[in-house]
Amino acid sequence: MTEAPLPLPLDFEAYYITHQEAFHEFALAVLGTNDAAEEAVHRAFLEILRHWPTLLAESDLEQQVWMIVRRTVIAQALVGLREQMAAMDDGLGLYQALGRLAPRQFDVLVLRYIGNYDAQRIGWYLGVTASTVDYHCRRARERLEPRLRRAMLLRKAKKEKGTDQ
């Protein structure tokens, strides 16, 4: 015989019912598919539940919960982007190299160079210090440098070949 799931705190259930739709709309706008949005919101609410007693004691409950939802959705979007890049073929292996970076290094590069976020804002999203963001960015660039150098040499060679014709 299976046991019934533990009951959720009543105030958490009420919060879920009143906020789930807005969180889902946000996740859908960022992630693009209903399945991905549902998964992200589910994960966010599990984290919210895990911290529920602490969150209730906060004077800015809404901001703290929104921060959890945003981080969860952004994390899922970055994982999807990383998988897409690893599968792309640019002929140089650059996208595959990006996709093979450590998750934190990949996240930092995407947020800094595609999202144009500064180290402090990236640190806030990832829950690390700005100096840690700079470290991960530096390490990622070091890992990608051979591929970038190769790409620049090939681009230069194509340009010279095009002008010689």
Side-chain angles (χ1 to χ4, degrees):
M1 195 175 225
T2 61
E3 294 181 33
L6 294 175
L8 296 172
L10 190 56
D11 48 3
F12 176 80
E13 284 188 52
Y15 194 88
Y16 175 85
I17 289 168
T18 57
H19 291 77
Q20 188 275 338
E21 187 174 340
F23 294 165
H24 185 270
E25 287 175 11
F26 169 73
L28 184 58
V30 171
L31 299 171
T33 69
N34 196 51
D35 288 345
E38 284 181 9
E39 181 182 335
V41 171
H42 177 74
R43 285 184 26 240
F45 270 112
L46 288 175
E47 185 172 341
I48 293 164
L49 178 60
R50 195 170 31 255
H51 300 288
W52 190 244
T54 305
L55 289 167
L56 285 176
E58 297 285 335
S59 61
D60 58 349
L61 170 69
E62 295 294 329
Q63 290 174 320
Q64 295 295 321
V65 168
W66 185 246
M67 191 169 39
I68 291 170
V69 171
R70 272 198 317 187
R71 284 183 179 172
T72 304
V73 170
I74 289 168
Q76 187 157 329
L78 288 170
V79 167
L81 180 61
R82 185 170 186 246
E83 290 169 355
Q84 288 174 351
M85 286 191 147
M88 294 172 92
D89 181 17
D90 61 355
L92 304 172
L94 183 58
Y95 290 126
Q96 293 87 353
L98 277 166
R100 285 192 297 266
L101 286 173
R104 199 47 70 87
Q105 291 174 1
F106 178 83
D107 296 352
V108 165
L109 280 186
V110 168
L111 291 170
R112 179 165 284 172
Y113 296 109
I114 295 174
N116 291 318
Y117 296 137
D118 62 31
Q120 189 166 351
R121 187 167 184 194
I122 296 168
W124 179 83
Y125 276 126
L126 301 179
V128 297
T129 64
S131 62
T132 300
V133 168
D134 291 337
Y135 169 79
H136 286 301
C137 193
R138 191 171 47 255
R139 295 289 294 148
R141 285 193 317 257
E142 288 170 3
R143 287 188 64 196
L144 293 174
E145 190 175 341
R147 300 277 183 187
L148 291 171
R149 197 175 310 116
R150 181 175 173 219
M152 291 189 323
L153 288 172
L154 285 172
R155 181 180 295 157
K156 183 179 177 183
K158 284 182 182 180
K159 194 174 190 180
E160 289 172 357
K161 185 178 179 182
T163 57
D164 290 342
Q165 291 180 349

